[in-house]
Structures are given as structure tokens and as C-alpha cells.
Amino acid sequence: MNEPLWKLWRNPILRRFATARLRWTSLLAWSVVLQALAAFFWLTIFFVYRRQQGFSAADSAVRAWSSILIMQGVLWLMKGTFSVATGIAREGVEGLTEAQILTPLSSWHKTVGYLLGLPILETVLVLSLLPWTAASVLFGHIPAAIVIRIHLLLVTAALLHHALGLVAGTVIRQKIVAGTVSQVIVILLHGVVPFFASLGLGPLGHLGVGSGISFELRPLLQNSSWRGVDPAMIYAFSHIRFFRWEFTLTGYQWSVMTIMLGVLLTILWRRWQRSTAHLFSKAMAVGFFAWILVLSLGEIVPLLQDPKFLQSRHLSGNAGVLQMAGASQPVIALLWAGGFGIVGLLTAMLLSSSIAPTLDQHWRALRGAARSARARVPWADDARSAVPWSIALAGVLVAGWYYLVRQLFDTPLVRVIVTPLPAMPYLLGAAIVVPLLVWTILLEWRGARFASMAAFVVWVLPLMVAIVSIISGVDPVGWPRWFFGASGLTLPFFALFESFGGLGKAFADSGKSHQVWMVSIISYSVLAVVFYICLRRAQKPEAGVRVATLPVGTGLPQDGAAVAQPEGL
Amino acid sequence: MNTVTAPPRGVVVSDLRIDYGRRTAVHDLNLAVEPGEIFGLLGPNGAGKTSIFRVLATLQEPVYGEVSLGGYDARREPESVRALLAYMPDLAPLPHDLRAEEYLRFFAQCHGLYGKACASRVEECLAAVELTDRRRDWCRQLSLGMRQRLVLARSLLHRPGVLILDEPASGMDAAARASLRHALKRQAAMGTTIILSSHILSEIQELCTSIGLLHNGRLVDSGPMREVLQRQSRRPRRLRLRTSGKSQPLLDWLAAHTASTSARPAQIVDGEVECDFAGNESAQAELFAKIGAAGLGVYAMRELAVSVEDVVLGLHETPPPLPS
């Protein structure tokens, strides 16, 4: 019925955008400006290095090529992603998304059509810069393999960014907000996330394209700082150690981007299949989280073998602050591991938000199931409660986090100083499961807006108060510790303190830390149980009963002032 | 071309329920529309018409219930249903960056029409809605009525077996509405099942072969237009009698014989006497004979038709139906 997916030129959505966005007048205007800029940058850089610096023509051409690559990156990754996010949001506003749902095109055709069609102007503009690439390759004697690898990375990154833009525009549906969010994501991926790689965000750092391309380019630069550098060091920087294996940076980065692209395309496909579908299916969310964790751990664990890791540049931010406070190396390790737990907890909360149904969805599914032959809503259905799945998410995180903490405290330097309690897995488990359950249950019971507000007031605000009070000179072991303890987000820290018998007296007296931990974990556990009871009561189908007042004068018996009108079942 | 020939089963809805949160928008709806029928779904604002249309068009999932279009189950075979149906929403927006012709070509290609087949079908549809001379205009430059016509043209592109139109005449002038009527009647004559809603009730009366009355999410009545109107009329049949002489004696005679003739005189309009008549057809013949015997000079009697407007306005006055 549909044309084969690979026949892109027969994809109507792609053709529609080719018609709408590649009109001669705008294309001509863009081309003139772009070619002028490309000529300016390429020639300027080439002659600056060739004439002013005395570099060889080949080296100057390679440097000039980098300016073309930057232009292509900005056009494709930034402007292209913005066009995609705003374009799909606009399609939704203009009702074309719905009209598109009604066409017999397959969901994959629609996904691919929008993915390639919305940024088609940017794609054509990037292609129009290829003559400058050819000039660079010719003058710079650049090996074809490097050109291919760099372009493979660039194309994959562009597809990935555009898919991110599509998801943003599909979810947000407000053109300007969607465009802004897409740009923030691009900036985060390229400018912020790489700095937090040591806290488990390493895999996200590979979604940016900068590091891979720069490592591919550097060996070409004969006059660069890489000249004369020990080949072993170059090898170390251009390779990724993943648990016990090693991969080239480019290959690894390409693999991560490709898998992430697959995840995003699946999300988009689900949305085309059913416009009300959650971004992730329940199992997909758990699988995705496990993949992120494995990638993080795979990159971090080999770093722990380095005895200087806790003082190295990987932790420079944390260490700088902690050394000022006179913290010992085990304390730095403890806080770093706690930070990993918190980032993991926040990620799990985000994923559980994407799979938690509203009460309305739950009721509708129950009523539908009651009318059909099925007695229950299918276990992995979007409308089914996310509580068991959030336990699964927590289980994955606890396993990964526990593995990391064991690895960290098995490192030679730390092992001799501290020994964890045998109860550590349970303490870590409680620190993750309890807050995640509280969040998920509250989300399902009262909705995203209420849960977010509650989380801000109860979890974030006390942290802010505690931080301000400590900075103003109040003893952290005094009342601020209760404010720290009131936040569910700090439970991973307290669990770690508890696991090591109150390690880190620089920050908290062991007995007082124990008090805070006990009060906090018990309170949140009780809260989780109470919330769960309330949720179960609200989820019952009869909770969706509306009381309909009979109109006066209908001529029908008015035995009561009102009748209960059962909605289903 | 991806056109799917509709099995001769029209549209069948059974036991359909649509909820929004705790509010039930449509209660256990049962409906059958035959192929070639033009079915008007009528009801006040908020009655649930658009919700039903969206479910029929596979854009929304019901809580439960079965929907079959052309013999295909909307839930299990949405792709087949989508190939068969066309849905024109109320005030459908158009893309800002396409011309009228390009817009139609895009959707024709989505339905598998390329090359000459695409070009000729686009021409046909533009001609059907009388927009041939505006083909090069940007969609954003078209007037409201023209936009509606363009969306109608889009709906006709793949020769749908089922056509669902939500307020299709919105913003159209009289000529455009006449053109719409002709186009729809032509489609129905080709066997297309047409379901539509409109607040222009005269259009409905002129166009539809059958109607359904929706009130507070419940189907109050449905069937052939005349039967539904008769059933739902809130007053007895109204007869108008024309006399060769003065009307007042006839009015007085009817007032004196109300019990025996079942005719209650109402008023004199344009020299004719109107009366509400509660009897059947034989009683009506008997009444005519009695008046003749009384020598009142009545030479013509006709029944005033109940209008759709009367019935829909009656719905506004009706208290919401009780749960079944």
C-alpha cells in the first residue's frame, strides 16, 4: 500500500517540505549569504595560517576546513533542530498532524518524512558547503577515511538532534517554547553535559559531536600541540575504555548516537501510532534506563583504577569545593557516589513521569476492560499504574549504584580507610525506592502539576534554606541537617553515610546523621504507604461516579434529591 | 491508488461511550447509517457531536464500544478505515506555506496518487469545489469559505467511502453552500456514506435523508428525516384549511366541534385557518367530509411540515435524559 520506506523521493511529507521550503527565492538568498560567509571564513583562515603563521598549505587547508565544519554544525544541529521543533509544533497547531494521522501512510513513513523534511532547507545549505570541503580535502591531503568518519558522525548527530527537536515539538506544541527548548537541549549536550560526565552523564556527553570530530581532526594538524606528544597519550584520548574493553572514540560515539536515535524514532513512531501514547512504553523506559546506567558505569568504572581519580580533572569541580572545606579523600568519594545516586534518582523520576498514567486514563481503561472480555487492563498498557515499574526502575538504579559504590570503595586508596556495613545494599535500596515511590504515587494520584509543586516545596526548598544557612555561618551539624534530611533528594547521601557508619565527620556527626536518616526514611516510607492507599481508593472505578441532579418537572419519581449515575461497569 | 472499496455496510456504531475525566460525553450510542445515505447528526452545543465524529475518524479512542466503517473495525483496522474515510473538521486550519494546488497534491500523494493521476484528480477536486481559478493562491490568503471548500476538496481526493463533515458550511456564502449541497448529493449518489453536522438547520433539512438527535451525549432519536421529525414534534400535526369565503365561521365551527373532530382551532394566518389535529389519516378524511357537509366552503387542506429547527429548539427545552 505504501511506497517502500527507502524510496525517500516518493515520501509525500518529504516532497511537501521540499516544495514549501526550497522555493527558489529563499534558497537563492540563503545561498548567496552562506557562500559569501563560507568564502570569507575559509579564505581568511587559510591565508592567516599560510601567510601570517607560515604553516604549510595542507595544514592551513585543514584549519580552514574546521570553519566549514563549524558552519555546517551550526546550520544543521542548531538551526535545523530549531526548524524541526518549531515546524512540528506548528503542524500540530495548524491541524495538519491530525490530517496526517488520517492518511494511510505508515507511521514510519510519517516519522521519516518529518525527520528529513522539516530540516530540508538546512540540509541543502549544508550540502552547498561541500565544495569548500572538497577544496580542503584537496589542498589538505586529507585521507578519505577521516572525511567519511567525520561526515558519518555529523550526519548521525544531525539526525539525532532533529529527532530530539521532533520529540520536543511533539510534546510541547507551542512553537516558540518548543524551539527554545530544542536550542537549550543542543547547548546542554555540547556545552554543559560533558562537564558532568563523572556524575553518570558521560553517555549524554557523546550525543554532542564536538569531541569526536576534534579527535579526528587533530592528527591532521601537523603544527598543532599534538605534534611530538606521546602516541600513547593520543591513543588514550582517542579511545574510550568501557569496563574491560576499549573502543575508538568515533566508533563508540557513533554507536551511542545511533542507539539514542533508535530510541527517539521509536518514541515518534509510538506517537504516530497513537497520539495519546506515553513517550516510553513501560518496558522501554526500564530498558532505556538500564542502557544509560550500563553506559555510565562502563565509562566510570575504568577511571576508578586511576589512584589519582578523586583528585583528577574529572572531579575538579567537586574536589575544589570540598578541599576548601577540608574534606578527606574518602569523603570526596562518598559525596561523589552520593551525587551519582541523586542524578540516577532524578533520571528515574523523569522516566517514571513519562510512564505514569493519569487517574482519567486509568478509569477509562478499567471501564473499557470491564465491558470487554478482558477482566483487567494489560500489564504493560499505558493506562496501567507505573508503581510496579518504578520499583523496577529503582531496582536497576540500586543495582548499578551499589556496583559503583563497591567498585569505588574497593579501590586501593579508599579500601584501607573505610569498610561498608553489610546492610549497605538495603540502605541504598531504601534511599532510592522510597523517594521514587513517593514521587510516582503522588504523580498518579494528584497529577504532574501538583506533584511537581509538592516536590519543589518539600524537596527543593529545604535544601535551599539549609545551603543558605550553612553559607551564612550556621553549623551544618545543627538544625540545617534536619532541613537536608527533610528533602527526599538527599536520602542517597544519608544512606551512604549510614552505610559507612557515619563517615565524614567533617560534615555531620555520625549519631546526628543517623537520627536524620532514621526520621527521614521512616517518614517517607509512611508517606508512601498513605499515598498508596489514597491512590488505590482514587483508582477504583466507582471513584469516577458523578452525581447527577434530576431536573424538576421531568415527571419522574423524585425519591431522592440526587441519583448516583454510575459511569461504566 | 489507495482507495478502498467500501463493503456495503456503511457506518455502524454500537454501545459507544466517550468520557472526558469524570464527565461522560457520549452514553452508549447505537447508530447505523446505510451506504448512500446523508445522515445529519443534530444537537445543541456540547451534545457530543464532535466527539463522535473524532471517534469515527479514528482520532480519538472511546472508553468502549464498537465502530465499524465500511465493514472495517475502527479499533482493530484503523489503517483500512483511514484509507476509506475522509474527515473534515470544523474550521479546518490550512498550512501557511503551501498554495491551494500544492496542498491538494500533498494529500493526493499521501493517498498514493502520483504523476498524471495526481494532477488530474487535483484538477477534478478543485473544479468540484469551484476553486480552479484560485489554485495558485496561498492557502493563507483564501477566505474562510474558500478554505472550507479547499478542505472539502482534500476530503474528496481519494474518493472516500465514508465522508464525515463537522460543520462543513461554516463561513460559506449561499452560492458556496449550494455548490456544497450538489457535491455531497453527487457523492451520496455514488454510494458514499455521509455523516454531517451543521448549525444551519435549513441545510440539514434540504440535504439529509436521515437524522439523529443528540442531547447530552445520548441519541434521543434517529431514522429517516420525516419519521424522526414526526415523532419528535412537540405539538400535534398542524393543518391549514383554505375557504372560499370568510375564515371566521370555520374557526368558530371548529371551536364548537373540537371534541368530535379532534381538531383544535389555533389561528387565522393569511386568510387560512390553522388547527392542531390529533387524529389519524382516516379521521382527517372524516374531518374534511364534516366540514364539507357543514357548507363552510373549504376547498383545500394541507399539513404544515415540522421543521428540523422546531425539533432542535425543542431539544434545548428538553430536560437531559435519564441514565438508562
Side-chain angles (χ1 to χ4, degrees):
Chain A
M1 193 145 168
N2 287 305
E3 293 284 342
L5 194 59
W6 59 268
K7 286 188 178 177
L8 292 175
W9 63 92
R10 300 278 280 186
N11 188 312
I13 300 173
L14 190 58
R15 291 165 74 116
R16 169 245 202 274
F17 285 111
T19 305
R21 303 208 164 177
L22 298 180
R23 298 196 189 276
W24 284 113
T25 44
S26 71
L27 197 58
L28 195 66
W30 270 105
S31 298
V32 167
V33 173
L34 196 68
Q35 293 303 325
L37 284 174
F40 173 75
F41 286 127
W42 198 93
L43 294 170
T44 305
I45 292 172
F46 181 83
F47 286 117
V48 161
Y49 282 103
R50 184 83 183 98
R51 304 278 182 224
Q52 311 291 324
Q53 306 285 327
F55 285 12
S56 68
D59 208 9
S60 304
V62 171
R63 287 168 194 278
W65 184 32
S66 60
S67 70
I68 300 299
L69 283 171
I70 289 170
M71 281 179 77
Q72 287 176 321
V74 170
L75 270 174
W76 229 0
L77 305 187
M78 294 203 74
K79 185 179 180 308
T81 307
F82 184 81
S83 293
V84 170
T86 53
I88 194 70
R90 185 165 199 159
E91 292 275 295
V93 172
E94 289 181 346
L96 284 170
T97 317
E98 278 203 343
Q100 198 52 250
I101 289 172
L102 292 178
T103 65
L105 281 180
S106 78
S107 297
W108 281 119
H109 279 82
K110 290 167 190 167
T111 305
V112 171
Y114 277 109
L115 182 69
L116 301 180
L118 281 165
I120 196 161
L121 172 63
E122 289 76 10
T123 305
V124 169
L125 294 178
V126 165
L127 291 177
S128 75
L129 292 175
L130 284 182
W132 296 100
T133 304
S136 310
V137 170
L138 200 66
F139 289 111
H141 309 298
I142 302 170
I146 290 181
V147 178
I148 290 170
R149 281 205 297 270
I150 285 179
H151 281 95
L152 194 63
L153 269 182
L154 195 62
V155 169
T156 314
L159 288 173
L160 178 68
H161 282 65
H162 297 162
L164 273 169
L166 265 186
V167 173
T170 307
V171 173
I172 296 169
R173 287 179 182 268
Q174 284 167 305
K175 208 179 75 162
I176 299 302
V177 182
T180 309
V181 167
S182 74
Q183 296 305 286
V184 169
I185 291 173
V186 174
I187 291 166
L188 281 177
L189 286 182
H190 288 86
V192 179
V193 166
F195 294 102
F196 293 94
S198 62
L199 284 179
L201 298 179
L204 295 180
H206 295 301
L207 302 181
V209 75
S211 56
I213 289 182
S214 65
F215 278 117
E216 288 290 339
L217 277 181
R218 282 190 184 181
L220 298 173
L221 304 174
Q222 298 302 313
N223 290 305
S224 76
S225 55
W226 285 73
R227 196 177 185 184
V229 171
D230 182 4
M233 186 170 281
I234 295 177
Y235 180 86
F237 278 111
S238 59
H239 284 70
I240 287 282
R241 288 161 68 201
F242 186 77
F243 291 113
R244 294 176 184 174
W245 302 283
E246 279 191 356
F247 302 105
T248 60
L249 180 69
T250 314
Y252 182 81
Q253 192 168 17
W254 185 80
S255 308
V256 172
M257 285 199 292
T258 307
I259 293 172
M260 191 66 195
L261 178 62
V263 171
L264 292 173
L265 291 182
T266 310
I267 288 173
L268 293 166
W269 176 81
R270 278 173 56 80
R271 275 296 173 108
W272 278 115
Q273 287 289 94
R274 207 163 133 243
S275 59
T276 54
H278 288 159
L279 293 183
F280 290 95
S281 71
K282 303 269 199 290
M284 190 179 153
V286 176
F288 179 68
F289 190 47
W291 175 69
I292 293 268
L293 265 178
V294 168
L295 282 188
S296 303
L297 293 172
E299 287 185 46
I300 290 171
V301 166
L303 299 177
L304 300 179
Q305 304 309 317
D306 179 1
K308 295 177 182 171
F309 171 66
L310 293 174
Q311 298 163 341
S312 68
R313 63 182 180 84
H314 297 287
L315 291 172
S316 54
N318 294 340
V321 174
L322 296 168
Q323 277 159 6
M324 278 197 308
S328 65
Q329 194 159 333
V331 172
I332 296 172
L334 191 70
L335 291 176
W336 173 74
F340 184 93
I342 288 176
V343 171
L345 177 62
L346 289 172
T347 313
M349 282 168 64
L350 201 64
L351 283 170
S352 90
S353 310
S354 75
I355 57 171
T358 60
L359 276 179
D360 178 35
Q361 282 175 309
H362 189 81
W363 289 331
R364 281 160 51 93
L366 275 183
R367 288 172 200 151
R371 274 294 174 111
S372 68
R374 293 179 276 125
R376 295 168 68 92
V377 181
W379 65 279
D381 194 280
D382 274 1
R384 196 68 188 264
S385 173
V387 171
W389 294 93
S390 67
I391 294 174
L393 285 171
V396 169
L397 175 57
V398 170
W401 190 33
Y402 178 64
Y403 173 75
L404 178 74
V405 173
R406 292 297 315 196
Q407 292 291 316
L408 177 66
F409 287 92
D410 274 351
T411 51
L413 189 68
V414 183
R415 185 172 48 211
V416 296
I417 302 172
V418 290
T419 311
L421 299 176
M424 183 168 78
Y426 305 107
L427 296 171
L428 299 191
I432 296 297
V433 172
V434 172
L436 190 57
L437 275 181
V438 169
W439 167 254
T440 309
I441 294 168
L442 197 61
L443 201 65
E444 283 191 30
W445 177 36
R446 301 305 302 262
R449 196 169 291 182
F450 182 90
S452 306
M453 196 63 210
F456 178 77
V457 171
V458 181
W459 286 4
V460 179
L461 222 51
L463 284 183
M464 293 160 79
V465 171
I467 289 167
V468 169
S469 56
I470 291 170
I471 290 171
S472 68
V474 179
D475 181 6
V477 189
W479 59 264
R481 73 192 152 99
W482 290 106
F483 276 78
F484 275 119
S487 171
L489 294 177
T490 55
L491 281 174
F493 275 126
F494 282 100
L496 275 176
F497 276 121
E498 194 71 7
S499 301
F500 291 94
L503 174 75
K505 292 184 181 178
F507 289 94
D509 178 80
S510 62
K512 288 178 178 174
S513 163
H514 177 72
Q515 283 174 4
V516 175
W517 159 255
M518 290 303 288
V519 170
S520 187
I521 196 72
I522 289 171
S523 309
Y524 276 113
S525 301
V526 171
L527 211 56
V529 172
V530 171
F531 284 177
Y532 189 68
I533 292 168
C534 294
L535 173 67
R536 292 297 294 170
R537 289 177 64 174
Q539 279 178 336
K540 285 180 182 167
E542 56 266 32
V545 167
R546 181 184 57 177
V547 174
T549 309
L550 281 179
V552 178
T554 52
L556 289 156
Q558 298 278 320
D559 294 336
V563 287
Q565 182 180 342
E567 299 202 350
L569 293 181
Chain B
M1 185 173 168
N2 291 332
T3 308
V4 174
T5 312
R9 271 172 282 187
V11 175
V12 181
V13 176
S14 54
D15 212 15
L16 181 78
R17 171 167 162 156
I18 304 169
D19 283 5
Y20 295 105
R22 295 185 179 216
R23 194 176 70 80
T24 301
V26 176
H27 296 262
D28 303 340
L29 177 85
N30 291 290
L31 190 68
V33 185
E34 295 293 319
E37 212 173 319
I38 303 181
F39 181 86
L41 196 56
L42 304 176
N45 289 335
K49 300 186 294 290
T50 301
S51 298
I52 293 171
F53 284 172
R54 289 179 62 80
V55 169
L56 291 180
T58 72
L59 288 172
Q60 188 174 332
E61 284 184 16
V63 174
Y64 53 72
E66 302 296 322
V67 176
S68 157
L69 285 89
Y72 298 109
D73 187 302
R75 190 176 287 190
R76 293 188 195 93
E77 304 162 279
E79 300 298 331
S80 302
V81 167
R82 285 167 191 169
L84 178 73
L85 76 81
Y87 172 54
M88 180 178 165
D90 184 15
L91 296 177
L94 292 170
H96 67 290
D97 55 359
L98 288 179
R99 299 176 194 275
E101 184 185 37
E102 293 167 349
Y103 174 71
L104 291 185
R105 200 186 308 145
F106 165 48
F107 278 98
Q109 287 169 357
C110 289
H111 283 282
L113 286 170
Y114 289 90
K116 286 181 182 172
C118 172
S120 67
R121 187 62 190 149
V122 167
E123 280 299 320
E124 283 171 28
C125 290
L126 279 170
V129 297
E130 295 167 13
L131 280 178
T132 308
D133 56 334
R134 309 303 292 263
R135 58 193 300 162
R136 298 290 297 161
D137 285 12
W138 293 98
C139 291
R140 60 175 182 264
Q141 291 174 336
L142 297 175
S143 69
L144 190 60
M146 286 178 187
R147 284 167 175 233
Q148 286 291 93
R149 279 149 62 191
L150 184 61
V151 178
L152 178 66
R154 185 200 83 194
S155 308
L156 299 176
L157 274 171
H158 60 295
R159 298 188 175 89
V162 177
L163 193 52
I164 299 167
L165 309 162
D166 195 356
E167 300 288 344
S170 292
M172 288 189 184
D173 59 21
R177 286 211 300 273
S179 159
L180 171 74
R181 276 200 303 275
H182 292 141
L184 293 183
K185 282 182 176 169
R186 230 179 6 251
Q187 281 295 124
M190 289 159 59
T192 305
T193 309
I194 299 175
I195 302 179
L196 59 92
S197 74
S198 176
H199 287 299
I200 306 172
L201 299 173
S202 56
E203 293 291 328
I204 294 278
Q205 187 137 18
E206 198 165 336
L207 190 61
C208 294
T209 52
S210 58
I211 57 170
L213 299 176
L214 206 62
H215 187 43
N216 275 10
R218 291 174 195 277
L219 193 66
V220 177
D221 200 352
S222 72
M225 169 93 76
R226 187 183 160 78
E227 289 176 18
V228 172
L229 293 182
Q230 203 63 66
R231 279 197 296 270
Q232 292 299 319
S233 174
R234 312 200 90 211
R235 56 176 170 74
R237 293 161 62 204
R238 181 158 286 188
L239 302 177
R240 193 173 274 192
L241 306 164
R242 184 171 292 176
T243 63
S244 53
K246 288 188 174 176
S247 305
Q248 192 59 43
L250 175 60
L251 195 71
D252 296 340
W253 186 87
L254 285 171
H257 294 84
T258 299
S260 62
T261 59
S262 306
R264 181 186 296 170
Q267 57 189 333
I268 295 173
V269 180
D270 298 334
E272 295 178 348
V273 173
E274 265 188 23
C275 65
D276 291 338
F277 183 67
N280 56 18
E281 284 172 358
S282 62
Q284 192 175 328
E286 201 178 319
L287 168 69
F288 198 60
K290 280 180 181 173
I291 293 172
L296 292 165
V298 174
Y299 66 92
M301 178 165 71
R302 65 189 171 98
E303 184 178 340
L304 290 181
V306 180
S307 71
V308 174
E309 192 168 348
D310 290 335
V311 171
V312 172
L313 287 176
L315 281 179
H316 285 280
E317 296 159 14
T318 310
L322 286 169
S324 53

